[in-house]
Amino acid sequence: MIFEDVDGATREFGDGRPLPLSACEWHQGTLLTNTSTGPVESIEDCRFVVRDPEFLDILGSSPKLVELVKTDAHEGGAWYPDKDEFYFSSNKLTSSTGQIKTDLKKVNLRTRNVTNLSAPENNTPNGMVLDNDGNLVVCQQGSLNQGGFIQRINLKTMKNTVVADNWFGVPFNSPNDAVVKRDGSIWFTDPSYGSVQGFRSTPKVNNQVYRISNIGVVDAVADGFTQPNGLAFSHDEKHLYVTDTGFAVGWVSDQSAPVCLRWGL
């Protein structure tokens, strides 16, 4: 099946596979030839940019981008299938006492109702992920009065526990994002964005990536970052990919520095 644009022209991906009308193919340009990098076509209703043909298997023949709800979503993004709920953190807010904070929220994907789950133990939540038992693991960035920590919330009872809040007695900077390996260990990034934005004290440790074992032992597994941020395992979990958004915002003068790093495990 070949899809057609409104003018009747057929559209195919670079390898000859049909390209949905709402998708655009990515072109990797070069500086030497002064060719641009980005979507091949400037289609007004382009909602999906295809960089790899395997993405077409996920999109299907007629993908749609649907707005679920208008809210102040910032980061997180964890789907809880048991109740069809989506958990996320809010944009940066100011509390009644003038302190910077963020809220932990959820949206019911059936009713599209948004609920604020913020409580005293929620201390500037940011990234989050479900663990292998369906609990919500939240990166709490901390405040001027309290260090950052990794929190686990049982979504059935809403009971929460602190998984870890220090490395050899030194408080974390401001935990940002986390992933859970199939063996149950929690891996997370710890940049100094809290201090940069004025709601955390001066860092006492380098910006690093940590692993929390199943018995709660915290190990630093990678350093040398400007600001480690998002992270993800390869499908076989033999490699860990970590983005360094310190480079992306121009805090690194070396323009050859990588934006995303990969470690063999």
Side-chain angles (χ1 to χ4, degrees), residues 225 230-232 240-245 247-248 257-263:
F225 297 94
L231 71 172
L240 176 68
Y241 295 85
V242 183
T243 59
D244 191 338
T245 48
F247 172 82
V259 177
C260 183
L261 303 175
R262 184 183 78 169
W263 275 266

Side-chain angles (χ1 to χ4, degrees), residues 40-55:
V40 172
E41 301 155 282
S42 297
I43 301 177
E44 185 176 354
D45 61 350
C46 179
R47 296 293 182 266
F48 305 94
V49 178
V50 182
R51 295 169 58 97
D52 189 291
E54 291 187 2
F55 187 39

Side-chain angles (χ1 to χ4, degrees), residues 19-116:
L19 189 67
L21 292 178
S22 57
C24 302
E25 183 177 355
W26 179 269
H27 176 260
Q28 186 65 42
T30 64
L31 298 177
L32 291 176
T33 59
N34 196 30
T35 54
S36 61
T37 294
V40 172
E41 301 155 282
S42 297
I43 301 177
E44 185 176 354
D45 61 350
C46 179
R47 296 293 182 266
F48 305 94
V49 178
V50 182
R51 295 169 58 97
D52 189 291
E54 291 187 2
F55 187 39
L56 294 171
D57 296 331
I58 298 174
L59 289 180
S61 61
S62 55
K64 295 181 179 179
L65 186 64
V66 179
E67 181 181 271
L68 293 176
V69 64
K70 288 184 179 295
T71 185
D72 59 337
H74 172 68
E75 197 161 328
W79 177 53
Y80 183 46
D82 289 8
K83 295 185 178 180
D84 203 14
E85 295 172 335
F86 187 75
Y87 289 77
F88 60 95
S89 57
S90 73
N91 290 326
K92 188 169 59 176
L93 305 169
T94 302
S95 69
S96 58
T97 60
Q99 293 185 333
I100 294 174
K101 69 164 189 170
T102 58
D103 287 335
L104 176 62
K105 297 185 176 185
K106 70 175 181 179
V107 56
N108 185 298
L109 299 182
R110 298 168 188 164
T111 65
R112 302 192 181 183
N113 290 330
V114 178
T115 304
N116 191 338

Side-chain angles (χ1 to χ4, degrees), residues 247-260:
F247 172 82
V249 297
W251 290 348
V252 179
S253 58
D254 181 6
Q255 295 301 303
S256 65
V259 177
C260 183

Side-chain angles (χ1 to χ4, degrees), residues 190-261:
D190 188 37
S192 56
Y193 277 131
S195 176
V196 170
Q197 297 178 70
F199 63 85
R200 282 286 287 122
S201 57
T202 302
K204 296 181 173 60
V205 67
N206 293 334
N207 299 332
Q208 303 181 133
V209 177
Y210 295 94
R211 176 189 60 211
I212 307 174
S213 72
N214 288 325
I215 59 174
V217 176
V218 179
D219 287 308
V221 294
D223 61 6
F225 297 94
T226 303
Q227 297 289 0
N229 201 318
L231 71 172
F233 283 109
S234 59
H235 181 69
D236 59 9
E237 295 189 333
K238 292 183 178 180
H239 294 93
L240 176 68
Y241 295 85
V242 183
T243 59
D244 191 338
T245 48
F247 172 82
V249 297
W251 290 348
V252 179
S253 58
D254 181 6
Q255 295 301 303
S256 65
V259 177
C260 183
L261 303 175

